[in-house]
């Protein structure tokens, strides 16, 4: 099937973030170990937005399986861009195809995410019977959750179990949308867990994160600034969105792979409504 054409925005058509709005792109590769010189495919991509004027914390997860226009002009899957073309190419796609200008990023591998969640004391999650069955069939360790995983219920997940939970795709019938929803659930739960974080807590978390990543373009001052924004927004209930939303996606088989076409005009309007609801 020939996918529809994709017409990116020109750089001067990409809106600047409004006053007080700060975007950070967090990416996780599909590898347990990370090498900044040999990045894997991006299995998880989350846009974290801290808005200190409107007092909002926003988590937007981007589906890995959608079709975008690659830097060489051809059509390809979003998940392959960072590995094949580099992080700057991905940032340019997010800007010119989604209309979101992001300058700062951090890339993690799955071991990094596992270590960060363990350092934060784990994450409490509620699972369905189908999710519990998947995790048991995946053979997570008996002590990977407290209590030991049995059936539907609420459990304290270790870092490893949480990573496996976030990677679930073939449960519930919603595919990659389910995966991205689970990523947002973990982020939201951890944010709410630290709603009363002190400066010492925040600096400890920063130390854990900065020690557990593959690569970033954020300097220490950038990270400390982000910590300051996060402390300003303590107690704010996070908002979560899937990008693109399901009504902007249509399934397509392309070069033998199941993927999705995106209605980018409609998606960019949806994104505008998220970030600029009063305009």
């Amino acid at each position: 099937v020939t996918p529809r054409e994709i017409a990116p925005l020109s750089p001067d058509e990409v809106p600047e973030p409004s006053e007080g709005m700060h975007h950070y792109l967090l990416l996780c590769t599909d590898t347990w170990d990370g090498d900044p010189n040999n990045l894997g495919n991006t299995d998880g991509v989350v846009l974290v937005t801290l808005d200190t004027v409107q007092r909002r914390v926003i988590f937007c997860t981007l589906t890995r399986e959608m079709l975008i226009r690659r830097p060489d002009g051809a059509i390809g899957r979003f998940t392959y861009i960072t590995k094949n073309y580099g992080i700057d190419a991905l940032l340019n796609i997010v800007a010119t195809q989604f209309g979101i200008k992001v300058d700062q990023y951090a890339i993690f591998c799955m071991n990094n995410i596992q270590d960060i969640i363990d350092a934060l004391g784990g994450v409490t999650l509620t699972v369905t019977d189908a999710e519990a069955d998947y995790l048991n069939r995946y053979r997570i360790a008996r002590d990977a959750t407290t209590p030991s995983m049995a059936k539907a219920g609420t459990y304290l997940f270790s870092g490893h179990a949480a990573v496996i939970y976030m990677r679930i795709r073939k449960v519930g019938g919603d595919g990659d949308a389910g995966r991205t929803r689970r990523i947002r659930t973990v982020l939201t739960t951890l944010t709410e867990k630290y709603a009363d974080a002190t400066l010492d807590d925040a600096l400890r978390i920063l130390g854990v994160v900065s020690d557990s990543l593959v690569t970033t373009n954020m300097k220490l001052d950038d990270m400390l600034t982000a910590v300051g924004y996060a402390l300003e927004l303590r107690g704010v209930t996070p908002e979560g969105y899937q990008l693109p939303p399901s009504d902007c996606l249509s399934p397509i088989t392309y070069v033998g792979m199941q993927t999705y076409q995106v209605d980018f005009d409609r998606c960019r309007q949806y994104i505008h409504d998220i970030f600029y609801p009063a305009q």
Side-chain angles (χ1 to χ4, degrees):
V1 177
T2 301
R4 68 168 68 100
E5 283 298 313
I6 298 172
L9 301 172
S10 63
D12 61 358
E13 291 178 298
V14 180
E16 293 287 335
S18 61
E19 180 183 357
M21 184 179 291
H22 310 280
H23 295 310
Y24 306 93
L25 200 67
L26 308 183
L27 307 96
C28 183
T29 63
D30 62 352
T31 56
W32 285 100
D33 296 309
D35 180 351
N37 299 310
N38 185 24
L39 295 171
N41 300 323
T42 46
D43 213 28
V45 179
V46 183
L47 177 70
V48 177
T49 301
L50 305 177
D51 189 332
T52 56
V53 171
Q54 300 297 321
R55 293 195 56 76
R56 300 173 71 196
V57 175
I58 305 170
F59 297 134
C60 293
T61 45
L62 283 78
T63 182
R64 64 178 193 158
E65 297 178 346
M66 61 187 161
L67 294 176
I68 44 77
R69 181 170 292 283
R70 302 186 324 209
D72 63 0
I75 303 297
R77 292 176 77 197
F78 185 72
T79 187
Y80 299 141
I81 296 300
T82 302
K83 178 179 181 179
N84 294 334
Y85 298 95
I87 183 61
D88 288 341
L90 187 85
L91 293 175
N92 184 62
I93 287 168
V94 171
T96 61
Q97 297 181 42
F98 291 91
I100 309 169
K101 184 176 181 181
V102 190
D103 296 321
Q104 297 184 320
Y105 67 84
I107 301 177
F108 305 85
C109 66
M110 291 189 288
N111 271 328
N112 295 152
I113 303 300
Q114 171 178 299
D115 292 346
I116 290 168
I117 292 174
D118 280 336
L120 296 179
V123 59
T124 299
L125 301 169
T126 300
V127 298
T128 64
D129 277 327
E131 289 168 337
D133 182 62
Y134 177 92
L135 293 164
N136 280 322
R137 285 187 289 109
Y138 193 91
R139 298 183 184 278
I140 60 171
R142 299 302 299 166
D143 61 354
T145 63
T146 305
S148 182
M149 181 64 64
K151 55 184 180 180
T154 300
Y155 300 85
L156 176 64
F157 278 62
S158 69
H160 181 74
V163 169
I164 303 307
Y165 167 82
M166 287 187 284
R167 286 175 56 78
I168 293 174
R169 184 165 56 91
K170 296 181 179 180
V171 169
D174 51 359
D176 200 55
R179 182 196 294 253
T180 58
R181 173 176 48 77
R182 292 180 185 95
I183 292 171
R184 294 194 305 273
T185 296
V186 170
L187 286 172
T188 297
T189 303
L190 288 173
T191 300
E192 292 173 343
K193 179 178 180 179
Y194 283 88
D196 298 320
T198 64
L199 176 59
D200 286 345
D201 291 331
L203 293 177
R204 180 181 68 83
I205 294 169
L206 173 60
V208 170
V209 172
S210 61
D211 288 343
S212 300
L213 53 78
V214 177
T215 187
T216 182
N217 68 344
M218 297 178 68
K219 298 180 173 61
L220 178 59
D221 284 351
D222 298 323
M223 294 184 180
L224 289 171
T225 298
V227 166
Y229 298 147
L231 286 172
E232 281 188 57
L233 296 170
R234 279 174 296 184
V236 172
T237 300
E239 304 168 41
Y241 302 94
Q242 175 189 318
L243 296 181
S246 57
D247 60 0
C248 291
L249 295 172
S250 54
I252 180 176
T253 300
Y254 180 59
V255 295
M257 297 181 295
Q258 294 297 313
T259 184
Y260 293 93
Q261 294 189 107
V262 180
D263 182 338
F264 278 100
D265 288 337
R266 189 173 181 182
C267 183
R268 286 193 290 265
Q269 182 60 54
Y270 177 81
I271 290 167
H272 181 276
D273 292 345
I274 293 172
F275 294 118
Y276 309 101
Q279 299 179 19

